[in-house]
Amino acid sequence: MITIFYGSDRDKVQAKARVQLDELVKKQPDIQVVQFEASEENAEKIKNFAASTSLFGETYLILLRYFCETATGRELLIHLIPHLQTSSHDVIIVDGSLTKEPLAKLESAGAKLNKFMKAEPAGYAGAREVKVSHPIFAGYNIYRFSDAFGLRDKKKLWVEYETALTAGLPAEELFWKLTWQLKNMLMVAKMTPMDKSSLQDWQIRKIKPLLRNYRAEELPHLSLKLINIYHKARRGLTDFETSLERFVLEL
């Protein structure tokens, strides 16, 4: 059985995972807990433990911690899921954000999902300072994401999207950065030489070349798509992360 605890509330994720682990140890005092971080070397060890059968009654609890914090770790986890699914041993996965592919694979494998998110303050993420939470990405610049949108570089846009999520930035903040970029592009596209604008001259000079990457009728259409994403997410019909990834891939 695979049980996963994940989400932005790291303290609660770890506390709930600890409760589950303690309960399993209490029920099976002889169970051996084997814990792994993401690495190629550990991947082979995990597969061996998952496939092992006991001659003398040994049972294992396989604990995987924060594989999805890096692209390499996510790939390793996706590779391991079929082995964990067929294992006779219990598996607990502790992680932060899960992107679409590993989450879908875990759901297909029948994993029990436990998600714990930090309560967000009122208002949208762009109304406050959003900081990168993962130390590896301390210097990450979120405007690389909105710049890739302006350039209509789909590959770079998707890479920046995944990088930003891994860095700990919320999908909603990425949504508002896209909205901000698109609003500025619409504003510049409609400007005449006599118009006054809230944008600085250097911003207008930067945005004008981006307009060549989109047909005039596309910008309002894309704006409507983003508005639809917002309202569906707010009504609980979908979530920002899934909807925004689809938007990026369909650009």
Side-chain angles (χ1 to χ4, degrees), residues 33-120:
V33 180
V34 287
Q35 177 176 309
F36 298 98
E37 310 292 335
S39 73
E40 291 285 355
E41 179 184 357
N42 282 342
E44 290 304 313
K45 294 178 182 178
I46 293 164
K47 285 192 287 186
N48 289 336
F49 274 108
S52 66
T53 55
S54 171
L55 297 176
F56 305 102
E58 300 98 341
T59 55
Y60 298 108
L61 170 59
I62 302 171
L63 176 61
L64 308 185
R65 291 177 53 81
Y66 296 100
F67 271 57
C68 290
E69 289 199 338
T70 65
T72 300
R74 286 197 298 274
E75 291 300 319
L76 286 174
L77 179 59
I78 290 168
H79 171 71
L80 288 168
I81 288 171
H83 301 275
L84 301 175
Q85 182 183 6
T86 57
S87 177
S88 60
H89 305 290
D90 286 304
V91 178
I92 291 180
I93 299 173
V94 178
D95 225 307
S97 298
L98 285 183
T99 51
K100 184 177 179 181
E101 187 175 5
L103 184 58
K105 297 284 187 183
L106 286 163
E107 287 177 331
S108 297
K112 183 179 179 182
L113 304 176
N114 300 277
K115 184 177 182 180
F116 302 98
M117 303 298 291
K118 283 186 177 179
E120 296 287 355

Coordinates of all heavy atoms in Angstrom, one line a residue, residues 33-120:
V33 N 12.1 0.0 9.2 CA 11.9 1.2 8.4 C 13.1 1.5 7.6 O 14.2 1.6 8.2 CB 11.5 2.4 9.3 CG1 11.4 3.7 8.5 CG2 10.3 2.1 10.2
V34 N 13.0 1.6 6.3 CA 14.1 2.0 5.4 C 13.8 3.3 4.7 O 12.8 3.4 4.0 CB 14.4 0.8 4.4 CG1 15.1 -0.3 5.1 CG2 13.2 0.4 3.7
Q35 N 14.6 4.3 4.9 CA 14.3 5.6 4.4 C 15.3 6.0 3.3 O 16.5 5.7 3.4 CB 14.5 6.6 5.6 CG 14.3 8.1 5.2 CD 14.3 9.0 6.4 OE1 13.6 8.8 7.4 NE2 15.1 10.0 6.3
F36 N 14.8 6.7 2.3 CA 15.6 7.0 1.1 C 15.3 8.5 0.7 O 14.2 9.0 0.7 CB 15.3 6.1 0.0 CG 15.6 4.7 0.2 CD1 14.6 3.8 0.6 CD2 16.9 4.2 0.1 CE1 14.9 2.4 0.9 CE2 17.2 2.9 0.4 CZ 16.2 2.0 0.8
E37 N 16.4 9.1 0.2 CA 16.3 10.4 -0.5 C 16.5 10.0 -2.0 O 16.8 8.9 -2.4 CB 17.4 11.3 -0.1 CG 17.6 11.5 1.5 CD 16.4 12.2 2.1 OE1 15.7 13.0 1.3 OE2 16.1 12.0 3.3
A38 N 16.2 11.0 -2.8 CA 16.3 10.8 -4.3 C 17.7 10.7 -4.8 O 18.5 11.7 -4.7 CB 15.5 11.9 -5.0
S39 N 18.1 9.6 -5.3 CA 19.4 9.4 -6.0 C 19.3 8.2 -6.9 O 18.5 7.3 -6.6 CB 20.5 9.3 -5.0 OG 20.5 8.1 -4.4
E40 N 20.1 8.1 -7.9 CA 20.2 6.9 -8.8 C 20.5 5.7 -8.0 O 20.0 4.6 -8.2 CB 21.2 7.2 -9.9 CG 20.7 8.2 -10.9 CD 19.6 7.7 -11.9 OE1 19.3 6.5 -11.8 OE2 19.1 8.5 -12.7
E41 N 21.5 5.8 -7.1 CA 22.0 4.7 -6.3 C 20.8 4.2 -5.4 O 20.6 3.0 -5.3 CB 23.1 5.1 -5.4 CG 23.7 4.0 -4.5 CD 24.8 4.5 -3.6 OE1 25.2 5.7 -3.7 OE2 25.3 3.7 -2.8
N42 N 20.1 5.1 -4.8 CA 19.0 4.7 -3.9 C 17.8 4.0 -4.7 O 17.1 3.2 -4.2 CB 18.5 5.9 -3.1 CG 19.4 6.2 -2.0 OD1 20.2 5.4 -1.5 ND2 19.2 7.4 -1.4
A43 N 17.7 4.4 -6.0 CA 16.6 3.9 -6.8 C 16.7 2.4 -6.9 O 15.7 1.6 -6.8 CB 16.6 4.5 -8.2
E44 N 17.9 1.9 -7.1 CA 18.1 0.4 -7.2 C 17.9 -0.3 -5.9 O 17.3 -1.3 -5.8 CB 19.6 0.2 -7.7 CG 19.8 0.5 -9.1 CD 18.9 -0.1 -10.1 OE1 18.6 -1.4 -10.0 OE2 18.3 0.6 -10.9
K45 N 18.3 0.4 -4.8 CA 18.0 -0.2 -3.5 C 16.5 -0.3 -3.2 O 16.1 -1.3 -2.6 CB 18.7 0.7 -2.4 CG 20.3 0.6 -2.5 CD 20.8 1.5 -1.4 CE 22.4 1.6 -1.4 NZ 22.9 2.5 -0.4
I46 N 15.8 0.8 -3.6 CA 14.4 0.8 -3.3 C 13.7 -0.3 -4.1 O 12.8 -1.0 -3.6 CB 13.8 2.2 -3.7 CG1 14.3 3.3 -2.8 CG2 12.3 2.2 -3.7 CD1 14.1 4.7 -3.3
K47 N 14.1 -0.5 -5.4 CA 13.5 -1.6 -6.2 C 13.8 -2.9 -5.5 O 12.9 -3.8 -5.5 CB 14.0 -1.5 -7.6 CG 13.5 -0.4 -8.4 CD 13.7 -0.5 -9.9 CE 15.2 -0.2 -10.2 NZ 15.4 -0.2 -11.7
N48 N 15.0 -3.1 -5.0 CA 15.3 -4.4 -4.3 C 14.5 -4.6 -3.1 O 14.0 -5.7 -2.9 CB 16.8 -4.4 -4.0 CG 17.7 -4.5 -5.2 OD1 17.3 -5.0 -6.2 ND2 18.9 -4.1 -5.1
F49 N 14.3 -3.6 -2.3 CA 13.4 -3.7 -1.1 C 12.0 -4.0 -1.5 O 11.3 -4.8 -0.9 CB 13.5 -2.5 -0.2 CG 14.7 -2.5 0.7 CD1 15.8 -1.6 0.6 CD2 14.7 -3.3 1.9 CE1 16.8 -1.6 1.4 CE2 15.7 -3.3 2.8 CZ 16.8 -2.5 2.6
A50 N 11.5 -3.2 -2.5 CA 10.1 -3.4 -2.9 C 9.8 -4.8 -3.4 O 8.8 -5.4 -3.2 CB 9.8 -2.4 -4.0
A51 N 10.8 -5.4 -4.1 CA 10.6 -6.8 -4.7 C 10.9 -7.9 -3.7 O 10.7 -9.1 -4.0 CB 11.5 -6.9 -5.9
S52 N 11.5 -7.6 -2.5 CA 12.0 -8.6 -1.6 C 10.8 -9.4 -1.0 O 9.8 -8.9 -0.7 CB 12.8 -8.0 -0.5 OG 12.1 -7.2 0.3
T53 N 11.1 -10.7 -0.8 CA 10.1 -11.6 -0.1 C 10.9 -12.1 1.1 O 12.1 -12.4 1.0 CB 9.6 -12.7 -1.0 OG1 10.7 -13.4 -1.6 CG2 8.8 -12.1 -2.1
S54 N 10.2 -12.3 2.2 CA 10.8 -12.7 3.4 C 10.7 -14.2 3.6 O 9.7 -14.8 3.5 CB 10.2 -11.9 4.6 OG 10.7 -12.4 5.8
L55 N 11.8 -14.8 4.0 CA 11.8 -16.2 4.5 C 11.6 -16.3 6.0 O 11.1 -17.4 6.4 CB 13.2 -16.9 4.1 CG 13.5 -16.9 2.6 CD1 14.9 -17.5 2.5 CD2 12.5 -17.8 1.9
F56 N 11.8 -15.3 6.7 CA 11.7 -15.3 8.2 C 10.7 -14.3 8.7 O 10.8 -13.9 9.9 CB 13.1 -15.2 8.8 CG 14.1 -16.1 8.3 CD1 15.0 -15.8 7.3 CD2 14.1 -17.5 8.7 CE1 16.0 -16.7 6.8 CE2 15.0 -18.4 8.2 CZ 16.0 -18.0 7.3
G57 N 9.8 -13.8 7.9 CA 8.8 -12.9 8.4 C 9.2 -11.4 8.5 O 8.5 -10.6 9.0
E58 N 10.3 -11.0 7.9 CA 10.7 -9.6 7.9 C 9.8 -8.8 7.0 O 9.4 -9.2 5.9 CB 12.1 -9.4 7.4 CG 13.2 -10.1 8.2 CD 13.6 -11.4 7.6 OE1 12.8 -11.9 6.7 OE2 14.7 -11.9 7.9
T59 N 9.4 -7.7 7.5 CA 8.6 -6.7 6.7 C 9.2 -5.4 6.7 O 9.9 -5.0 7.7 CB 7.1 -6.6 7.2 OG1 7.2 -6.2 8.6 CG2 6.4 -7.9 7.1
Y60 N 9.1 -4.6 5.7 CA 9.7 -3.3 5.6 C 8.7 -2.2 5.4 O 7.6 -2.4 4.9 CB 10.6 -3.3 4.3 CG 11.8 -4.3 4.4 CD1 11.8 -5.4 3.6 CD2 12.8 -4.1 5.3 CE1 12.8 -6.3 3.6 CE2 13.9 -5.0 5.3 CZ 13.9 -6.1 4.5 OH 14.9 -7.0 4.6
L61 N 9.0 -1.1 5.9 CA 8.3 0.1 5.6 C 9.2 1.0 4.8 O 10.3 1.5 5.3 CB 7.9 0.9 6.9 CG 7.3 2.3 6.7 CD1 6.1 2.3 5.9 CD2 7.0 2.9 8.1
I62 N 8.9 1.2 3.6 CA 9.8 2.0 2.7 C 9.3 3.5 2.7 O 8.2 3.8 2.4 CB 9.7 1.5 1.2 CG1 10.1 0.0 1.2 CG2 10.6 2.3 0.3 CD1 9.8 -0.7 -0.1
L63 N 10.2 4.3 3.2 CA 9.9 5.7 3.3 C 10.7 6.6 2.3 O 11.9 6.6 2.4 CB 10.2 6.2 4.8 CG 10.1 7.7 5.1 CD1 8.6 8.1 4.9 CD2 10.5 7.9 6.6
L64 N 10.0 7.3 1.5 CA 10.7 8.1 0.5 C 10.4 9.6 0.8 O 9.2 10.0 1.0 CB 10.1 7.8 -1.0 CG 10.1 6.4 -1.4 CD1 9.7 6.3 -2.9 CD2 11.5 5.7 -1.2
R65 N 11.4 10.4 0.8 CA 11.3 11.8 1.3 C 11.7 12.8 0.2 O 12.8 12.8 -0.3 CB 12.1 12.0 2.5 CG 11.6 11.3 3.8 CD 12.6 11.5 5.0 NE 12.8 12.9 5.2 CZ 12.0 13.7 5.9 NH1 10.8 13.2 6.4 NH2 12.3 14.9 6.1
Y66 N 10.7 13.6 -0.2 CA 11.0 14.8 -1.0 C 11.7 14.5 -2.3 O 12.6 15.2 -2.7 CB 11.7 15.9 -0.2 CG 10.9 16.4 1.0 CD1 11.1 15.9 2.3 CD2 9.8 17.3 0.8 CE1 10.3 16.3 3.3 CE2 9.0 17.7 1.8 CZ 9.3 17.2 3.1 OH 8.5 17.6 4.1
F67 N 11.2 13.5 -3.0 CA 11.7 13.2 -4.3 C 11.3 14.2 -5.3 O 12.1 14.5 -6.3 CB 11.1 11.8 -4.8 CG 12.0 10.6 -4.4 CD1 12.3 10.4 -3.0 CD2 12.5 9.8 -5.3 CE1 13.0 9.3 -2.6 CE2 13.3 8.7 -4.9 CZ 13.5 8.5 -3.6
C68 N 10.1 14.9 -5.2 CA 9.6 15.8 -6.2 C 10.1 17.2 -6.1 O 9.7 18.1 -6.8 CB 8.1 15.8 -6.2 SG 7.4 14.2 -6.8
E69 N 11.1 17.4 -5.3 CA 11.7 18.7 -5.2 C 12.7 19.1 -6.3 O 13.1 20.2 -6.5 CB 12.4 18.9 -3.8 CG 11.4 19.0 -2.7 CD 12.0 19.6 -1.4 OE1 13.2 19.6 -1.3 OE2 11.2 20.1 -0.6
T70 N 13.1 18.0 -7.1 CA 13.9 18.3 -8.2 C 13.4 17.5 -9.4 O 12.6 16.5 -9.2 CB 15.4 17.8 -8.0 OG1 15.4 16.4 -7.8 CG2 16.0 18.5 -6.8
A71 N 13.7 17.9 -10.6 CA 13.2 17.2 -11.8 C 13.8 15.8 -11.9 O 13.0 14.9 -12.2 CB 13.7 18.0 -13.1
T72 N 15.0 15.6 -11.5 CA 15.6 14.3 -11.4 C 14.8 13.4 -10.4 O 14.5 12.2 -10.7 CB 17.1 14.3 -11.1 OG1 17.8 15.1 -12.0 CG2 17.7 12.9 -11.0
G73 N 14.5 13.9 -9.3 CA 13.8 13.2 -8.3 C 12.4 12.8 -8.7 O 12.0 11.6 -8.5
R74 N 11.8 13.7 -9.5 CA 10.4 13.4 -10.0 C 10.5 12.2 -11.0 O 9.6 11.3 -11.0 CB 9.8 14.6 -10.7 CG 9.3 15.6 -9.7 CD 8.4 16.6 -10.4 NE 9.0 17.4 -11.4 CZ 9.7 18.5 -11.3 NH1 9.9 19.0 -10.1 NH2 10.2 19.1 -12.3
E75 N 11.5 12.2 -11.9 CA 11.7 11.1 -12.8 C 11.9 9.8 -12.1 O 11.4 8.8 -12.5 CB 12.8 11.5 -13.8 CG 12.5 12.6 -14.8 CD 11.3 12.3 -15.6 OE1 11.2 11.2 -16.1 OE2 10.5 13.3 -15.8
L76 N 12.7 9.8 -11.1 CA 13.0 8.6 -10.3 C 11.7 8.1 -9.7 O 11.5 6.9 -9.7 CB 14.1 8.9 -9.2 CG 15.5 9.1 -9.7 CD1 16.4 9.5 -8.5 CD2 16.0 7.8 -10.3
L77 N 10.9 9.0 -9.1 CA 9.7 8.5 -8.4 C 8.8 7.9 -9.5 O 8.2 6.8 -9.2 CB 9.0 9.7 -7.7 CG 7.7 9.4 -7.0 CD1 7.9 8.3 -6.0 CD2 7.1 10.6 -6.4
I78 N 8.6 8.6 -10.6 CA 7.7 8.0 -11.7 C 8.2 6.6 -12.1 O 7.4 5.7 -12.3 CB 7.7 9.0 -12.9 CG1 6.9 10.3 -12.5 CG2 7.0 8.3 -14.1 CD1 7.1 11.4 -13.4
H79 N 9.5 6.5 -12.2 CA 10.1 5.2 -12.6 C 9.8 4.1 -11.5 O 9.6 2.9 -11.8 CB 11.6 5.3 -12.8 CG 12.4 4.0 -13.0 ND1 12.2 3.3 -14.1 CD2 13.2 3.4 -12.1 CE1 13.0 2.2 -13.9 NE2 13.6 2.2 -12.8
L80 N 9.8 4.5 -10.2 CA 9.7 3.6 -9.1 C 8.3 3.2 -8.8 O 8.0 2.1 -8.2 CB 10.3 4.2 -7.9 CG 11.8 4.3 -7.8 CD1 12.3 5.2 -6.6 CD2 12.5 2.9 -7.7
I81 N 7.3 4.0 -9.2 CA 5.9 3.7 -8.8 C 5.4 2.3 -9.2 O 4.8 1.7 -8.3 CB 5.0 4.8 -9.4 CG1 5.2 6.1 -8.7 CG2 3.5 4.4 -9.3 CD1 4.5 7.3 -9.3
P82 N 5.7 1.8 -10.4 CA 5.2 0.4 -10.7 C 5.8 -0.6 -9.7 O 5.1 -1.6 -9.3 CB 5.7 0.2 -12.1 CG 5.8 1.5 -12.7 CD 6.3 2.4 -11.6
H83 N 7.0 -0.4 -9.3 CA 7.7 -1.3 -8.4 C 7.1 -1.2 -7.0 O 6.9 -2.2 -6.3 CB 9.2 -1.1 -8.3 CG 9.9 -1.2 -9.6 ND1 10.4 -2.4 -10.1 CD2 10.2 -0.2 -10.5 CE1 10.9 -2.2 -11.3 NE2 10.8 -0.9 -11.6
L84 N 6.8 0.0 -6.6 CA 6.1 0.2 -5.3 C 4.7 -0.3 -5.2 O 4.2 -0.8 -4.2 CB 6.2 1.7 -4.9 CG 7.5 2.4 -4.9 CD1 7.4 3.9 -4.7 CD2 8.4 1.8 -3.8
Q85 N 4.0 -0.2 -6.4 CA 2.6 -0.6 -6.5 C 2.5 -2.1 -6.2 O 1.5 -2.6 -5.6 CB 2.1 -0.2 -7.8 CG 0.6 -0.6 -8.0 CD 0.1 -0.2 -9.4 OE1 0.9 0.2 -10.3 NE2 -1.2 -0.4 -9.6
T86 N 3.4 -2.9 -6.8 CA 3.3 -4.3 -6.7 C 4.0 -4.9 -5.4 O 4.0 -6.1 -5.2 CB 3.9 -5.0 -7.9 OG1 5.3 -4.5 -8.1 CG2 3.1 -4.6 -9.2
S87 N 4.6 -4.0 -4.6 CA 5.3 -4.5 -3.5 C 4.4 -5.0 -2.4 O 3.3 -4.5 -2.2 CB 6.2 -3.4 -2.9 OG 6.9 -3.8 -1.7
S88 N 4.9 -6.0 -1.6 CA 4.1 -6.5 -0.5 C 4.4 -5.7 0.8 O 3.8 -5.9 1.8 CB 4.5 -8.0 -0.2 OG 5.8 -8.1 0.1
H89 N 5.2 -4.7 0.7 CA 5.6 -3.9 1.8 C 4.9 -2.5 1.8 O 4.6 -2.0 0.7 CB 7.1 -3.7 1.8 CG 7.9 -4.9 1.8 ND1 8.0 -5.8 2.9 CD2 8.7 -5.5 0.8 CE1 8.7 -6.8 2.6 NE2 9.2 -6.7 1.3
D90 N 4.7 -1.9 2.9 CA 4.1 -0.6 3.0 C 5.1 0.5 2.5 O 6.3 0.4 2.8 CB 3.7 -0.3 4.4 CG 2.4 -1.1 4.9 OD1 1.4 -1.0 4.2 OD2 2.5 -1.8 5.9
V91 N 4.5 1.5 1.9 CA 5.3 2.6 1.4 C 4.7 3.9 1.8 O 3.5 4.1 1.7 CB 5.3 2.6 -0.2 CG1 6.2 3.8 -0.7 CG2 5.9 1.3 -0.7
I92 N 5.5 4.8 2.4 CA 5.1 6.1 2.7 C 5.9 7.1 2.0 O 7.2 7.0 2.0 CB 5.2 6.4 4.3 CG1 4.1 5.6 5.0 CG2 5.0 7.9 4.6 CD1 4.2 5.8 6.5
I93 N 5.3 8.0 1.3 CA 6.0 9.1 0.6 C 5.7 10.4 1.2 O 4.5 10.8 1.4 CB 5.6 9.1 -0.9 CG1 5.9 7.7 -1.6 CG2 6.3 10.2 -1.7 CD1 5.4 7.6 -3.0
V94 N 6.7 11.2 1.5 CA 6.6 12.5 2.1 C 7.1 13.5 1.1 O 8.3 13.4 0.6 CB 7.3 12.6 3.4 CG1 7.2 14.1 4.0 CG2 6.8 11.6 4.4
D95 N 6.3 14.5 0.7 CA 6.8 15.4 -0.4 C 6.1 16.8 -0.2 O 5.2 17.0 0.6 CB 6.5 14.8 -1.7 CG 7.7 14.9 -2.7 OD1 8.2 16.1 -2.8 OD2 8.2 13.9 -3.2
G96 N 6.6 17.7 -1.1 CA 6.0 19.0 -1.1 C 5.0 19.1 -2.2 O 4.0 18.4 -2.3
S97 N 5.3 19.9 -3.2 CA 4.4 20.1 -4.4 C 4.5 18.8 -5.3 O 5.6 18.4 -5.6 CB 4.7 21.3 -5.2 OG 4.5 22.5 -4.4
L98 N 3.4 18.4 -5.8 CA 3.4 17.3 -6.8 C 2.9 17.8 -8.1 O 1.8 18.4 -8.2 CB 2.5 16.1 -6.4 CG 3.0 15.2 -5.2 CD1 2.0 14.1 -5.0 CD2 4.3 14.6 -5.6
T99 N 3.7 17.7 -9.2 CA 3.2 18.1 -10.5 C 2.3 17.1 -11.1 O 2.1 16.0 -10.5 CB 4.4 18.4 -11.4 OG1 5.3 17.3 -11.4 CG2 5.2 19.6 -11.0
K100 N 1.7 17.4 -12.2 CA 0.6 16.6 -12.8 C 1.0 15.1 -13.0 O 0.3 14.2 -12.7 CB 0.2 17.2 -14.1 CG -1.0 16.6 -14.7 CD -1.4 17.3 -16.0 CE -2.6 16.7 -16.7 NZ -3.0 17.4 -17.9
E101 N 2.2 14.9 -13.6 CA 2.5 13.5 -14.0 C 2.7 12.6 -12.8 O 2.1 11.5 -12.8 CB 3.8 13.5 -14.9 CG 4.0 12.1 -15.5 CD 5.2 12.1 -16.4 OE1 5.8 13.1 -16.6 OE2 5.5 11.0 -17.0
P102 N 3.6 12.9 -11.8 CA 3.7 12.0 -10.7 C 2.4 11.8 -9.9 O 2.1 10.7 -9.4 CB 4.8 12.6 -9.8 CG 4.9 14.0 -10.3 CD 4.5 14.0 -11.7
L103 N 1.6 12.9 -9.8 CA 0.3 12.8 -9.1 C -0.6 11.8 -9.8 O -1.3 11.0 -9.2 CB -0.3 14.2 -9.0 CG -1.6 14.3 -8.2 CD1 -1.4 13.8 -6.8 CD2 -2.2 15.7 -8.2
A104 N -0.7 11.9 -11.2 CA -1.6 11.0 -11.9 C -1.1 9.6 -11.8 O -1.9 8.7 -11.7 CB -1.6 11.5 -13.4
K105 N 0.2 9.4 -11.9 CA 0.8 8.0 -11.7 C 0.4 7.4 -10.4 O 0.1 6.2 -10.3 CB 2.3 8.0 -12.0 CG 2.7 8.5 -13.3 CD 2.5 7.4 -14.4 CE 3.1 7.8 -15.7 NZ 2.9 6.8 -16.8
L106 N 0.6 8.2 -9.3 CA 0.3 7.7 -8.0 C -1.2 7.4 -7.8 O -1.6 6.4 -7.2 CB 0.7 8.8 -7.0 CG 2.2 8.9 -6.7 CD1 2.5 10.2 -6.0 CD2 2.7 7.7 -5.9
E107 N -2.1 8.2 -8.4 CA -3.5 8.0 -8.4 C -3.8 6.7 -9.1 O -4.6 5.9 -8.6 CB -4.3 9.1 -9.0 CG -4.3 10.4 -8.1 CD -5.0 11.6 -8.8 OE1 -5.0 11.6 -10.0 OE2 -5.6 12.4 -8.0
S108 N -3.2 6.5 -10.2 CA -3.5 5.2 -11.0 C -3.0 4.0 -10.3 O -3.5 2.9 -10.4 CB -2.8 5.3 -12.4 OG -3.3 6.4 -13.2
A109 N -1.9 4.2 -9.4 CA -1.4 3.1 -8.7 C -2.2 2.8 -7.4 O -1.8 1.9 -6.6 CB 0.1 3.4 -8.3
G110 N -3.3 3.6 -7.2 CA -4.1 3.3 -6.0 C -3.6 3.9 -4.7 O -4.0 3.5 -3.6
A111 N -2.6 4.9 -4.8 CA -2.0 5.5 -3.6 C -3.1 6.2 -2.9 O -4.0 6.8 -3.4 CB -0.9 6.4 -4.0
K112 N -3.0 6.2 -1.6 CA -3.8 7.0 -0.7 C -3.2 8.4 -0.5 O -2.1 8.5 0.0 CB -4.0 6.4 0.7 CG -4.9 7.1 1.6 CD -5.1 6.4 2.9 CE -6.0 7.2 3.9 NZ -6.1 6.5 5.2
L113 N -3.9 9.4 -1.0 CA -3.3 10.8 -1.1 C -3.8 11.6 0.1 O -5.0 11.7 0.4 CB -3.6 11.5 -2.4 CG -3.3 10.7 -3.7 CD1 -3.8 11.5 -4.9 CD2 -1.8 10.5 -3.8
N114 N -2.8 12.3 0.8 CA -3.1 13.2 1.9 C -2.5 14.5 1.6 O -1.2 14.6 1.7 CB -2.6 12.6 3.2 CG -3.3 11.2 3.5 OD1 -4.3 11.2 4.0 ND2 -2.6 10.2 3.2
K115 N -3.3 15.5 1.3 CA -2.7 16.8 0.9 C -3.0 17.9 2.0 O -4.1 18.0 2.5 CB -3.4 17.3 -0.4 CG -2.8 18.6 -1.0 CD -3.5 18.9 -2.3 CE -3.0 20.1 -2.9 NZ -3.7 20.4 -4.2
F116 N -1.9 18.6 2.4 CA -2.0 19.6 3.4 C -1.4 20.9 2.9 O -0.2 21.0 2.7 CB -1.3 19.1 4.7 CG -1.8 17.8 5.2 CD1 -1.2 16.6 4.9 CD2 -3.0 17.8 6.0 CE1 -1.7 15.4 5.4 CE2 -3.5 16.6 6.4 CZ -2.8 15.4 6.2
M117 N -2.3 21.9 2.7 CA -1.8 23.2 2.2 C -1.9 24.3 3.2 O -2.8 24.3 4.1 CB -2.7 23.6 1.0 CG -2.7 22.6 -0.2 SD -1.1 22.3 -0.9 CE -0.9 23.9 -1.7
K118 N -0.9 25.2 3.2 CA -1.0 26.3 4.1 C -2.1 27.2 3.7 O -2.4 27.4 2.5 CB 0.3 27.1 4.0 CG 1.5 26.5 4.8 CD 2.7 27.4 4.8 CE 3.8 26.8 5.6 NZ 5.0 27.7 5.6
A119 N -2.8 27.7 4.7 CA -3.9 28.7 4.4 C -3.3 30.0 3.9 O -2.4 30.5 4.4 CB -4.7 29.0 5.7
E120 N -3.8 30.4 2.7 CA -3.3 31.7 2.1 C -4.1 32.9 2.7 O -5.3 32.8 3.0 CB -3.6 31.7 0.6 CG -2.8 30.5 -0.1 CD -1.3 30.8 -0.2 OE1 -0.9 31.9 0.3 OE2 -0.6 30.0 -0.6

